[in-house]
């Protein structure tokens, strides 16, 4: 299971500024790893037999890794464009040293800079790759939602199945049919433009439409009490742990990265302004030719700083990062509120809090897709 209740301070103690706070994230809230299943089985073997869902785990693996891979591929593509442009700028700065071949080096440098900028533009405006990545992410999160919603919709059966083999067989048959409610992976990219819009009705949060109406609470039992406690840990604590990492102090956290991007962009724009002014003074005030070494150097530094700002904007959209940080903070507050409601209430209130959690997760997912789709 996802580790529960980790504080921001302890997360930052483990993950420094230049470390990925989610490098060891394993989706254990849906028991995706052998270690998570072994840990649950060692403590609560009766719970493992109802909460381990091999077919859903296999389906989750069809969605989640491709979503992550699409994102990594897009980022590598962006880094390639920056590397090409940066190489061109380095050659431009070094061209005065290429005695006898200055013109050829300058032309090659210009071609590389233009190529890098062209790749940036193509990457920035391309919608197909973005729709694939967002579609796969939506699919993965709907599989995750099905895991918890199926248990919530069948609490009485699942509670009995913890100790009753006949009920366990019935539960396995019931959940096998539920997988048909999930969309096919190949259909999701085409749905992204609609998913990027607002949520019309909270009933959309439920994978099976009939689950939007809450069932009557089951009879109290030791099995139900344990099941609810585990659902709290897997669904609520797991999400809080994830978001606290996202809001940590590492450069992988959107808020921290947005602040660094803003600072670097301002410094680079300031440098571009200064060197551009120097070039203007040299040409207009001192009568230097544009081909003079000092003028060319000033102009090349100006161009380099501007390209660097463009690269930062492409790879790290400051407004998107700041928006992500705000969204994560709001999500953390909403999930924490639902968990408090769970902790303070009886069975009915706990069920209400868990159902509220599904709506919170879905609304955040749609907000994520909308923000990232519009940023393309």
């Amino acid at each position: 299971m996802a580790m529960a209740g980790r504080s921001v301070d302890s997360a930052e103690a483990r993950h420094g500024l230049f470390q990925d706070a989610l490098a060891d994230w394993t989706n254990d809230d849906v028991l995706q790893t052998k270690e998570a299943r072994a840990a649950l089985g060692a403590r609560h073997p009766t719970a493992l037999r109802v909460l381990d869902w091999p077919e859903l785990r296999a389906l989750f693996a069809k969605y989640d890794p491709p979503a992550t891979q699409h994102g990594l591929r897009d980022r590598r593509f962006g880094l390639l464009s920056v590397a090409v442009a940066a190489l061109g700028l380095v050659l431009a700065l070094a061209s005065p040293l290429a005695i006898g071949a200055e013109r050829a080096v300058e032309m090659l440098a210009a071609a590389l800079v233009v190529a890098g900028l062209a790749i940036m533009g193509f990457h920035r405006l391309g919608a197909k790759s973005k729709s694939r990545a967002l579609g796969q992410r939506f699919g993965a999160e709907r599989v995750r939602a099905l895991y918890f919603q199926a248990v919530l919709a069948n609490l009485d059966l699942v509670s009995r199945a913890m100790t009753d083999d006949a009920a366990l067989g019935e539960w396995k048959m019931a959940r096998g049919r539920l997988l048909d409610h999930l969309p096919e992976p190949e259909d999701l990219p085409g749905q992204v433009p609609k998913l990027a819009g607002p949520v019309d009705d909270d009933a959309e949060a439920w994978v099976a439409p009939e689950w939007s109406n809450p069932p009557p609470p089951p009879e109290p039992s030791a099995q139900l009490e344990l099941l609810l406690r585990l659902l709290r840990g897997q669904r609520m604590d797991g999400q809080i742990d994830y978001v606290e990492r996202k809001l940590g102090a590492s450069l992988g956290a959107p808020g921290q990265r947005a602040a660094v991007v803003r600072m670097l962009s301002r410094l680079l724009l300031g440098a571009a302004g200064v060197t551009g002014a120097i070039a203007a003074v040299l040409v207009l005030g001192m009568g230097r030719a544009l081909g003079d070494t000092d003028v060319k150097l000033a102009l090349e530094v100006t161009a380099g700083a501007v390209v660097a700002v463009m690269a930062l904007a492409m790879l790290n959209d400051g407004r998107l990062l700041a928006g992500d940080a705000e969204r994560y903070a709001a999500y953390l507050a909403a999930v924490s509120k639902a968990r408090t409601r769970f902790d303070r209430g009886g069975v009915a209130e706990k069920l209400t809090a868990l159902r509220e959690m599904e709506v919170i997760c879905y609304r955040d997912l749609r907000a994520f897709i909308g923000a990232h789709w519009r940023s393309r």
Side-chain angles (χ1 to χ4, degrees):
M1 292 182 294
M3 296 180 66
R6 180 179 292 121
S7 68
V8 176
D9 290 341
S10 62
E12 290 175 359
R14 292 180 59 247
H15 303 285
L17 181 64
F18 298 104
Q19 292 178 303
D20 183 359
L22 293 171
D24 59 348
W25 190 261
T26 52
N27 291 301
D28 284 348
D29 54 344
V30 293
L31 304 180
Q32 195 68 8
T33 65
K34 292 180 180 179
E35 292 78 10
R37 297 191 293 276
L40 178 60
R43 296 185 62 187
H44 305 294
T46 58
L48 178 64
R49 62 189 238 148
V50 296
L51 292 178
D52 181 27
W53 191 344
E55 299 84 1
L56 183 135
R57 285 193 279 109
L59 191 58
F60 188 81
K62 288 177 61 178
Y63 288 95
D64 190 66
T68 303
Q69 289 164 8
H70 280 311
L72 289 174
R73 187 180 64 183
D74 282 355
R75 193 158 188 83
R76 288 174 186 145
F77 191 68
L79 289 172
L80 172 64
S81 67
V82 174
V84 170
L87 177 59
L89 291 170
V90 170
L91 286 177
L93 292 172
S95 61
L97 302 177
I99 300 173
E102 297 96 328
R103 184 62 177 167
V105 173
E106 289 173 356
M107 291 179 65
L108 176 60
L112 288 172
V113 171
V114 170
L117 292 174
I119 295 172
M120 288 182 196
F122 177 79
H123 173 72
R124 184 73 173 175
L125 297 175
K128 187 174 181 180
S129 180
K130 180 67 70 71
S131 66
R132 283 199 306 269
L134 292 176
Q136 294 289 355
R137 175 51 52 206
F138 180 82
E141 295 309 316
R142 294 311 276 162
V143 174
R144 193 192 310 274
L146 176 62
Y147 177 90
F148 294 104
Q149 292 179 16
V151 175
L152 280 177
N154 295 275
L155 270 176
D156 181 65
L157 174 61
V158 178
S159 298
R160 289 187 286 109
M162 292 171 71
T163 54
D164 185 314
D165 289 341
L168 179 61
E170 185 181 347
W171 165 233
K172 288 183 177 180
M173 290 182 61
R175 74 187 188 188
R177 294 190 295 268
L178 296 176
L179 298 176
D180 293 336
H181 287 286
L182 293 168
E184 293 295 329
E186 58 270 18
D187 296 336
L188 287 169
Q191 298 176 17
V192 168
K194 181 179 184 301
L195 294 172
V199 177
D200 296 324
D201 191 331
D202 284 342
E204 296 177 32
W206 299 94
V207 177
E210 61 269 22
W211 293 344
S212 61
N213 297 313
E219 291 296 320
S221 67
Q223 290 78 20
L224 176 63
E225 181 181 350
L226 173 60
L227 189 58
L228 290 175
R229 190 166 73 247
L230 292 173
L231 288 175
R232 176 197 186 275
Q234 288 175 260
R235 192 53 157 158
M236 294 177 168
D237 292 348
Q239 288 298 298
I240 287 175
D241 181 25
Y242 178 87
V243 178
E244 284 180 342
R245 294 181 184 217
K246 278 289 190 180
L247 293 173
S250 80
L251 286 178
Q256 186 76 7
R257 200 156 81 244
V260 172
V261 167
R262 283 195 300 270
M263 179 188 69
L264 289 177
S265 296
R266 289 168 183 166
L267 288 174
L268 288 167
L269 287 174
V274 170
T275 53
I278 291 173
V281 170
L282 289 172
V283 173
L284 300 177
M286 302 177 65
R288 298 288 184 85
L290 289 175
D292 288 354
T293 300
D294 48 2
V295 176
K296 288 169 59 179
L297 181 60
L299 291 175
E300 286 163 357
V301 171
T302 300
V306 171
V307 170
V309 170
M310 293 173 64
L312 280 173
M314 189 203 69
L315 293 176
N316 299 280
D317 186 325
R319 286 180 297 178
L320 178 62
L321 290 171
D324 276 350
E326 292 177 4
R327 183 174 54 79
Y328 282 128
Y331 181 63
L332 176 60
V335 175
S336 299
K337 182 178 179 181
R339 187 173 67 173
T340 298
R341 183 176 187 177
F342 179 99
D343 292 341
R344 292 178 177 175
V347 171
E349 195 71 7
K350 292 181 189 300
L351 295 179
T352 299
L354 287 168
R355 289 181 60 84
E356 180 184 342
M357 182 70 189
E358 294 308 308
V359 175
I360 293 169
C361 290
Y362 183 74
R363 283 192 166 274
D364 178 74
L365 173 61
R366 290 285 297 272
F368 168 84
I369 290 175
H372 284 256
W373 177 249
R374 289 188 292 272
S375 73
R376 72 188 195 281

